[in-house]
């Protein structure tokens, strides 16, 4: 995240780059001049790659002069040039690149770096570490156990405080825990089967389009929040938390003819009205706001109002509603390393600028990553999340989908598992909203709300990540111990002394112990 004077030692002891002298103490000159193609042989590190392995890459990089982008490329034995990561680097100090790529073939490979400016690239502390798919998945499971689960102790007693030995305990998660949600569309208001399907699965939702400015005021001074209001009411009915999406969207706002034609004073007036009406209207009802959507790719507001426009908008939203976490929301930050606009280092620089705006230092921030994938580069995704985690604010994958193709289901599962396993990721929302005329990219169900294969894999993961003990027995001290996912649970207790099963809600999200007292034994109290 920061440019440092001294490069740190390589991770994994350099991994397979030891033989390539990748970690030379004084730095290694890798590229003599500006180049957008593979440099000469003397600038390329030769490596031996294994089949079906993920490769985690890390390196401290700097330029001999100026500032520019540095791209790491791993050429795999099948001849593919895989972008393993890109950072913004400068002269005089070291910046860390984290990323990687996957090799599906065994044999000779190459690693090289290139820049978009005329300067020498220097590298130090480099590492390229192989992981079999099984090892990578094993690491995920270790992190899930550490970050998403906890060891809990439930004590079951009778009304007098005496231990109930042999009581049967069944847990069913009903709330809290890791938030996993989905986008919803206005069709849910007229489709009871859609409503039933959605509410049975998700405790977090984003209105796909219905809160956006072009949905509530497509024509100037003709505001209509009726649809959005009804969708908010439906979410409240099922205790579904809502993300506000969005206050402003650079790209789409520019396409609203009446907005794009306004003078600067008129634009400020229209924006103030929009801010007041949408943020105040839903104050206290939303957990998040996507404040300025995709403002790394587009710059309508900053082009009109100056470089501090985003910072000012964040400030204005917080004044109207201090409860929600405020997000930048971007695409291709973790999906596509070849898109230079939203690189993790550029995302962090933009967030830093917004935080530096007067009065913004203590606001509640979040990192929103849309996560629209084609073919995911899982090592790059993990490395990018590691980089973004240095901001120490909650990260959410906000619009997760995978384009159609023979491996859509497989890729979606990989992306969801990778996000769920990263400690800095605090929630995940799918972009699989149902439309009668076809989904945006990814449908979870058919038009009869029967799961498609994509929906089946989502249900599989929901079941896996909400799994809980069933019909376990308490010991002689009335104690039941287990490792469970964080969350709020209904604990059902059965015992020969009880007339009927006892159900009590226990909070195993913030607490690790709970005592349940049976209050309806056969003796009648």
């Amino acid at each position: 995240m920061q440019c440092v004077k001294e490069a740190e030692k390589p991770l994994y002891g350099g991994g397979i780059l030891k033989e390539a002298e990748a970690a030379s103490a004084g730095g290694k000159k890798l590229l003599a001049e500006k180049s957008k193609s593979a440099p000469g042989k003397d600038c390329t590190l030769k490596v031996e790659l294994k089949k079906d392995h993920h490769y985690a890459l890390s390196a401290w990089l700097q330029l001999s002069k100026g500032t520019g982008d540095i791209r790491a490329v791993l050429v795999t034995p099948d001849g593919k040039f895989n972008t393993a990561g890109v950072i913004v680097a400068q002269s005089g100090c070291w910046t860390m690149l984290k990323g990687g790529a996957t090799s599906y073939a065994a044999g000779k490979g190459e690693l090289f770096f290139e820049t978009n400016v005329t300067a020498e690239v220097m590298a130090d502390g480099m590492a390229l570490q192989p992981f079999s798919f099984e090892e990578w998945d094993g690491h995920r499971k270790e992190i899930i156990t550490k970050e998403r689960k906890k060891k809990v102790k439930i004590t079951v007693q009778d009304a007098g405080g005496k231990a109930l030995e042999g009581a049967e305990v069944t847990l069913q998660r009903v709330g809290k825990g890791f938030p996993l949600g989905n986008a919803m569309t206005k069709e849910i208001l007229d489709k009871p089967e859609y409503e039933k399907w959605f509410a049975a699965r998700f405790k977090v939702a984003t209105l796909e389009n219905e809160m956006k400015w072009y949905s509530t005021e497509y024509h100037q001074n003709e505001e209509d929040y009726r649809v959005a209001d009804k969708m908010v009411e439906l979410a409240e009915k099922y205790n579904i938390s809502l993300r506000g999406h969005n206050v402003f969207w650079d790209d789409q706002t520019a396409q609203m003819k009446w907005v794009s034609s306004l003078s600067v004073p008129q634009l400020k007036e229209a924006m103030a009205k929009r801010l007041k009406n949408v943020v105040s209207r839903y104050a206290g009802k939303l957990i998040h706001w996507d404040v300025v959507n995709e403002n790394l790719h587009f710059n309508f507001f900053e082009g009109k109002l100056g470089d501090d426009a985003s910072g000012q908008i964040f400030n204005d939203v917080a004044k109207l509603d201090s409860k929600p976490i405020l997000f930048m929301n971007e695409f291709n930050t973790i999906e596509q390393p070849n898109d230079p606009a939203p690189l993790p280092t550029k995302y962090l620089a933009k967030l830093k600028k917004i935080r530096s705006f007067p009065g913004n230092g203590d606001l509640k921030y979040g990192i929103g990553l849309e996560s629209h994938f084609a073919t995911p580069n899982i090592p790059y995704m993990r490395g990018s999340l590691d980089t973004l985690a240095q901001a120490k604010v909650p990260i959410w994958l906000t619009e997760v989908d995978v384009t159609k193709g023979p491996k859509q289901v497989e890729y979606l599962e990989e992306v969801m598992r990778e996000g769920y396993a990263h400690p800095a990721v605090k929630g995940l929302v799918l972009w699989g909203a149902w439309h009668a005329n076809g989904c945006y990219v990814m449908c979870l169900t058919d038009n009869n709300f029967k799961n498609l294969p994509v929906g089946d894999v989502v249900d599989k993961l929901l079941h896996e990540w909400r799994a809980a003990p069933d019909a376990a027995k308490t010991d002689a001290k009335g104690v039941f111990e287990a490792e469970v996912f964080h969350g709020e649970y209904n604990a059902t207790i059965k015992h020969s002394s009880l007339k009927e099963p006892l159900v009590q809600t226990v909070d195993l999200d913030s607490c690790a112990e709970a005592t349940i007292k049976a209050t309806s034994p056969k003796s009648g109290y």
Side-chain angles (χ1 to χ4, degrees):
M1 183 175 178
Q2 294 181 341
C3 199
V4 299
K5 292 299 181 182
E6 297 291 335
E8 296 181 8
K9 293 182 179 180
L11 301 176
Y12 310 108
I16 65 172
L17 295 185
K18 293 176 185 176
E19 294 76 14
E21 298 180 355
S24 61
K28 189 176 183 71
K29 186 170 84 169
L30 294 174
L31 192 61
E33 292 294 337
K34 177 178 178 180
S35 174
K36 292 190 177 180
S37 60
K41 291 182 179 179
D42 58 331
C43 299
T44 300
L45 298 173
K46 305 292 185 180
V47 290
E48 192 72 27
L49 302 179
K50 299 178 181 179
K51 181 181 180 181
D52 293 340
H53 274 63
H54 293 310
Y55 284 83
L57 173 67
S58 57
W60 289 93
L61 303 171
Q62 67 169 291
L63 294 168
S64 61
K65 58 183 178 180
T67 300
D69 295 348
I70 301 177
R71 181 186 311 275
V73 179
L74 183 65
V75 185
T76 46
D78 54 8
K80 292 182 178 178
F81 283 57
N82 304 277
T83 299
V86 186
I87 61 164
V88 179
Q90 57 186 290
S91 62
C93 59
W94 299 95
T95 302
M96 176 177 259
L97 178 149
K98 290 197 77 175
T102 302
S103 179
Y104 295 99
K108 302 293 182 182
E110 297 178 350
L111 174 67
F112 66 86
F113 295 80
E114 58 186 16
T115 181
N116 62 348
V117 296
T118 302
E120 295 175 352
V121 175
M122 306 294 291
D124 205 350
M126 288 198 296
L128 187 64
Q129 180 68 20
F131 296 90
S132 69
F133 292 167
E134 292 75 17
E135 289 170 333
W136 194 274
D137 190 53
H139 180 259
R140 282 179 184 156
K141 290 176 180 177
E142 290 177 8
I143 298 299
I144 288 170
T145 297
K146 180 181 177 181
E147 299 291 335
R148 309 299 183 203
K149 290 183 172 183
K150 66 170 58 177
K151 292 181 179 179
V152 300
K153 176 182 177 181
I154 296 176
T155 303
V156 183
Q157 303 173 344
D158 65 17
K162 182 180 178 182
L164 284 184
E165 180 180 1
E168 184 180 290
V169 181
T170 296
L171 297 178
Q172 180 182 15
R173 202 175 91 180
V174 293
K176 295 186 177 180
F178 184 85
L180 199 158
N182 193 15
M184 67 164 67
T185 63
K186 61 185 178 182
E187 285 96 330
I188 200 169
L189 300 174
D190 303 313
K191 287 276 188 181
E193 59 271 41
Y194 181 13
E195 178 181 333
K196 180 180 178 181
W197 179 89
F198 194 101
R201 287 163 174 79
F202 304 114
K203 288 298 182 182
V204 180
T206 303
L207 308 194
E208 188 183 49
N209 295 309
E210 289 78 6
M211 274 190 188
K212 293 173 182 174
W213 197 0
Y214 66 72
S215 294
T216 60
E217 193 182 6
Y218 189 78
H219 298 289
Q220 189 174 14
N221 296 322
E222 295 181 15
E223 292 183 288
D224 188 348
Y225 287 92
R226 288 175 295 178
V227 172
D229 287 350
K230 289 178 181 178
M231 294 177 75
V232 171
E233 290 173 7
L234 186 143
E236 291 175 337
K237 171 183 173 182
Y238 291 102
N239 197 30
I240 294 172
S241 299
L242 280 178
R243 301 191 72 254
H245 181 72
N246 45 57
V247 181
F248 293 113
W249 186 1
D250 260 303
D251 182 39
Q252 289 298 318
T253 302
Q255 296 179 34
M256 294 170 65
K257 292 182 179 180
W258 73 266
V259 176
S260 60
S261 64
L262 298 176
S263 66
V264 169
Q266 290 171 331
L267 177 61
K268 288 181 177 179
E269 183 180 355
M271 290 173 64
K273 178 184 174 184
R274 162 69 176 171
L275 277 160
K276 179 181 178 182
N277 290 353
V278 73
V279 178
S280 300
R281 188 181 198 88
Y282 299 117
K285 298 183 178 182
L286 306 176
I287 60 171
H288 302 160
W289 264 118
D290 292 332
V291 178
V292 186
N293 208 47
E294 300 172 358
N295 62 338
L296 288 171
H297 280 94
F298 311 105
N299 66 342
F300 174 79
F301 295 105
E302 288 167 1
K304 292 274 190 178
L305 305 176
D307 289 345
D308 286 330
S310 292
Q312 180 68 65
I313 295 168
F314 270 75
N315 187 276
D316 292 341
V317 172
K319 286 178 180 177
L320 291 167
D321 187 5
S322 61
K323 179 182 176 182
I325 299 173
L326 306 182
F327 282 75
M328 284 174 56
N329 192 47
E330 263 300 344
F331 65 93
N332 282 353
T333 302
I334 61 173
E335 305 99 300
Q336 179 49 268
N338 288 313
D339 184 348
L343 299 175
T345 48
K346 292 182 179 179
Y347 191 114
L348 293 175
K350 185 75 168 184
L351 180 60
K352 183 178 180 180
K353 182 174 178 59
I354 290 170
R355 294 175 95 161
S356 69
F357 185 83
N360 284 4
D362 295 327
L363 303 187
K364 294 185 291 186
Y365 293 95
I367 290 175
L369 305 172
E370 294 183 15
S371 308
H372 297 297
F373 286 89
T375 301
N377 178 343
I378 294 299
Y380 174 76
M381 177 182 175
R382 181 177 294 185
S384 298
L385 289 171
D386 287 346
T387 298
L388 293 162
Q390 301 309 304
K392 301 188 184 307
V393 301
I395 296 174
W396 277 60
L397 309 189
T398 55
E399 304 180 17
V400 179
D401 60 22
V402 175
T403 55
K404 292 180 181 179
K407 292 191 174 183
Q408 183 185 41
V409 173
E410 175 187 336
Y411 288 161
L412 177 64
E413 182 172 353
E414 278 292 289
V415 167
M416 291 180 69
R417 288 190 183 278
E418 192 64 32
Y420 183 72
H422 199 285
V425 175
K426 304 304 180 184
L428 188 158
V429 178
L430 297 162
W431 213 242
W434 179 84
H435 289 277
N437 59 351
C439 306
Y440 173 66
V441 166
M442 185 179 77
C443 287
L444 304 187
T445 75
D446 62 18
N447 285 352
N448 295 314
F449 298 95
K450 302 297 182 184
N451 270 7
L452 296 170
V454 171
D456 284 339
V457 78
V458 171
D459 278 358
K460 180 180 82 169
L461 294 177
L462 282 168
H463 177 76
E464 179 181 325
W465 297 337
R466 294 174 181 174
D470 181 41
K473 299 285 187 178
T474 58
D475 61 18
K477 297 180 180 180
V479 172
F480 158 68
E481 293 182 291
E483 190 172 67
V484 302
F485 290 98
H486 298 175
E488 191 174 70
Y489 290 82
N490 278 343
T492 301
I493 311 298
K494 296 180 180 179
H495 191 264
S496 58
S497 66
L498 298 174
K499 291 181 180 180
E500 56 188 25
L502 172 70
V503 180
Q504 183 170 316
T505 301
V506 292
D507 183 358
L508 301 178
D509 195 68
S510 56
C511 303
E513 296 189 16
T515 298
I516 298 175
K517 289 197 174 183
T519 57
S520 57
K522 288 182 178 178
S523 54
Y525 52 83

